[in-house]
Amino acid sequence: MDKLDFETWSRRAALWGVQYRDRLADRPVRARTSPGEIYRAIPPKPPETGEEMERIFEEFETLIEPGMTHWQHPRFFAYFPSNAAPVSVVAEYLVTAMAAQCMLWQTSPAATELETRMVEWLGAALGLPETFSGVIQDSASSATLAAVLMMRERTLDWQGNRAGLSQMPRLRIYCSDQVHSSIDRAIWIAGIGQDNLVKIPADPLSGTLPPEQLEAAIRADIAAGHTPAGVIGCVGATGTGASDDIAKLVEVAHAHDLLIHVDAAWAGSAMICPEFRDLWAGVEGADSVVFNPHKWLGASFDCSAHFIRDPEILVRTLAIQPEYLKTHGQDGIINYSEWSVPLGRRFRALKLWFLLRFHGLEGLRSMIRDHVRWAGDLHDRLAATPGVEIVTAPVLSLFSFRREGALDADTIAHVTAINDDGRIYLTQTRVDGRLVIRFQAGSHAMREADIDIAYAAILDGLGLKAEER
Ligand code: PLP
């Protein structure tokens, strides 16, 4: 591609992005393709000779775009948001244009130093103490894996990486049964084994891990000859937003000299608002905390902020220095690839810098406060609607409900009907063994009027339109 074509197509792509966002509100949120449809439309072999950009771009618009689910849609209420604020998209254009690999300070000094500053900015925005250091990981899953590896190596006196686990004591890690599946995976990958992840049933009312049961489980394991290695607390669990009493978990973990990692992947963004910080009271005592600015805050995927009280433990766990990665004469300088599992690193700090400067914390706080308020409004309207049963009350902007008396098969049919309608997109989860419909508000593009549309779409999907409205 020559310089002129590069310019032409860059402009066209940027313009397409603007127009795409503009037309989202009128489209169904979830893709309406059937499995295999797009795969079959793509030739089985790559072309031997280059094709015209015009044609490639046209097929992107006609084949690929219609097969996408629109995560930036104002009425994306499924899972958790994956917001890419326009300003962060602009930063990503620049990152992609430079395409730097930021594994070491010397491979991109500005990327490393901006990352250090951005993690400090985020820590200050969240009200974390300045004593935390941090790194931007690709995902919360990676941050949790790094935290579990830290727990493993510290407990095994840094012998696990070298000797493997076969001759080692049986390590145990503790959490509630509300945690995200990334915790299970981290345990698998770290070689600790699912059976050694002790999932303590959360209190059915609060969704919180009972600290006295944590204490009892640790004591019982020690008595049985096992070796406790760490505790994982959760703030804003994926299903219904359940949160642990972090202060209490920190107390129990530290009384047994265990590291504690806090997974606040979604809810962490809301901690920029001081009034929500009760949700993770005591977090300043944790050893490792992760939250995803790529969820609610608006830094485009991927961008996961990982705060660590003592980065020495992390670096001692993960650093490896073959000659080709040595940076002679630069001792003491941060090389972030020693803080994460992958060696190669994208320049993730730039979009945070653009986002935080353009919107300011007040701008982002007001977005989050709006979402919490609007989700509360929808909750109140549904709660007042005959035939609708609220199952879990709002935690920030997340709550769950179902049609009164619905069996699981009915709830699946309701979710399918709501999503097939296209005006909104939401998903189901399980509470006390039964399916419920989960609603979270968090799209950067959402406006208050979208709550009216959501209310109408939900009632239609629940089959309440004719009878109850
Ligand atoms: N933890 C929680 C509470 C989550 O909700 C999620 C994803 O939604 C994750 C971890 C995993 O995040 P990631 O996709 O960044 O690995």
Side-chain angles (χ1 to χ4, degrees):
M1 182 173 274
D2 66 20
K3 201 167 83 179
L4 191 62
D5 274 352
F6 187 26
E7 181 180 332
T8 305
W9 288 103
S10 298
R11 285 178 190 280
R12 178 101 174 250
L15 186 61
W16 178 89
V18 175
Q19 292 168 345
Y20 167 76
R21 295 285 178 107
D22 214 32
R23 53 184 183 250
L24 275 183
D26 302 326
R27 301 196 156 185
V29 190
R30 196 170 69 165
R32 287 185 157 162
T33 53
S34 8
E37 198 180 318
I38 293 161
Y39 175 77
R40 282 190 300 274
I42 298 169
K45 296 273 163 42
E48 290 295 333
T49 53
E51 296 182 45
E52 286 298 314
M53 260 307 279
E54 194 65 57
R55 178 136 190 256
I56 301 171
F57 204 94
E58 187 197 310
E59 285 191 11
F60 160 71
E61 291 181 296
T62 54
L63 179 65
I64 304 300
E65 188 197 332
M68 296 300 289
T69 290
H70 304 299
W71 284 72
Q72 306 309 316
H73 196 292
R75 292 183 299 280
F76 183 98
F77 302 127
Y79 308 101
F80 281 137
S82 187
N83 281 332
V87 66
S88 112
V89 176
V90 172
E92 279 288 56
Y93 290 149
L94 307 180
V95 167
T96 307
M98 290 187 285
Q101 210 275 49
C102 310
M103 59 186 177
L104 304 172
W105 178 85
Q106 68 178 21
T107 65
S108 288
T112 298
E113 295 185 17
L114 189 63
E115 180 161 340
T116 307
R117 200 48 109 190
M118 286 309 98
V119 179
E120 287 169 8
W121 278 19
L122 286 175
L126 266 52
L128 291 175
E130 284 177 8
T131 43
F132 276 104
S133 300
V135 55
I136 304 177
Q137 310 275 17
D138 54 3
S139 62
S141 303
S142 290
T144 296
L145 173 59
V148 168
L149 291 170
M150 273 179 11
M151 292 171 182
R152 186 189 84 184
E153 288 306 294
R154 177 178 175 268
T155 309
L156 298 179
D157 201 18
W158 282 274
Q159 293 305 303
N161 280 343
R162 195 186 55 78
L165 302 187
S166 57
Q167 307 297 319
M168 297 293 179
R170 197 175 170 89
L171 300 183
R172 303 283 257 185
I173 289 183
Y174 308 85
C175 60
S176 87
D177 59 1
Q178 297 294 305
V179 296
H180 188 261
S181 54
S182 54
I183 313 303
D184 301 64
R185 276 195 168 160
I187 299 294
W188 303 348
I189 299 165
I192 291 171
Q194 183 80 54
D195 291 350
N196 295 314
L197 178 63
V198 182
K199 284 194 179 174
I200 299 166
D203 178 88
L205 280 182
S206 62
T208 298
L209 190 166
E212 59 288 353
Q213 291 193 26
L214 173 64
E215 175 70 39
I218 295 173
R219 283 179 188 276
D221 275 351
I222 295 172
H226 304 328
T227 305
V231 174
I232 298 177
C234 113
V235 176
T238 319
T240 60
S243 297
D244 290 324
D245 182 338
I246 299 301
K248 290 261 172 54
L249 298 197
V250 166
E251 210 179 293
V252 176
H254 287 175
H256 291 276
D257 189 29
L258 301 178
L259 294 181
I260 170 162
H261 170 67
V262 174
D263 176 7
W266 162 66
S269 292
M271 302 303 129
I272 63 170
C273 305
E275 70 272 27
F276 299 135
R277 289 189 191 146
D278 282 355
L279 210 59
W280 73 357
V283 72
E284 61 283 353
D287 299 288
S288 165
V289 181
V290 65
F291 98 98
N292 282 349
H294 72 226
K295 281 190 157 59
W296 205 348
L297 213 55
S300 58
F301 189 82
D302 50 10
C303 183
S304 189
H306 186 191
F307 302 94
I308 303 122
R309 174 192 295 284
D310 180 1
E312 242 338 277
I313 303 179
L314 180 61
V315 173
R316 207 169 158 193
T317 300
L318 294 178
I320 181 162
Q321 286 192 345
E323 187 54 41
Y324 51 83
L325 292 178
K326 287 202 169 120
T327 51
H328 297 287
Q330 293 172 350
D331 297 339
I333 288 178
I334 290 182
N335 290 316
Y336 275 121
S337 55
E338 299 182 343
W339 296 48
S340 45
V341 175
L343 170 67
R345 323 188 72 246
R346 298 183 66 244
F347 184 4
R348 299 191 180 88
L350 195 73
K351 58 196 169 196
L352 277 172
W353 195 45
F354 275 45
L355 177 83
L356 294 171
R357 293 180 66 183
F358 182 78
H359 289 284
L361 289 177
E362 265 311 314
L364 296 170
R365 282 186 197 115
S366 94
M367 172 188 74
I368 283 173
R369 287 173 180 143
D370 280 347
H371 291 156
V372 171
R373 189 161 47 81
W374 296 338
D377 289 350
L378 179 66
H379 162 271
D380 294 349
R381 284 164 77 175
L382 289 172
T385 303
V388 178
E389 175 196 357
I390 299 291
V391 181
T392 58
V395 174
L396 300 170
S397 63
L398 167 68
F399 66 92
S400 68
F401 62 95
R402 68 183 149 226
R403 185 167 170 164
E404 239 165 38
L407 303 175
D408 283 0
D410 303 321
T411 301
I412 291 175
H414 294 149
V415 171
T416 306
I418 292 169
N419 290 335
D420 283 352
D421 167 87
R423 281 173 288 175
I424 69 171
Y425 179 28
L426 36 67
T427 41
Q428 74 288 338
T429 190
R430 222 169 256 287
V431 175
D432 282 341
R434 284 182 61 198
L435 285 181
V436 297
I437 306 175
R438 195 180 161 278
F439 177 93
Q440 69 75 27
S443 169
H444 195 88
M446 183 184 175
R447 297 291 170 263
E448 190 163 11
D450 291 311
I451 285 300
D452 296 333
I453 301 175
Y455 180 69
I458 289 169
L459 259 55
D460 288 350
L462 294 183
L464 289 173
K465 186 179 179 186
E467 309 144 42
E468 318 283 1
R469 258 193 292 158

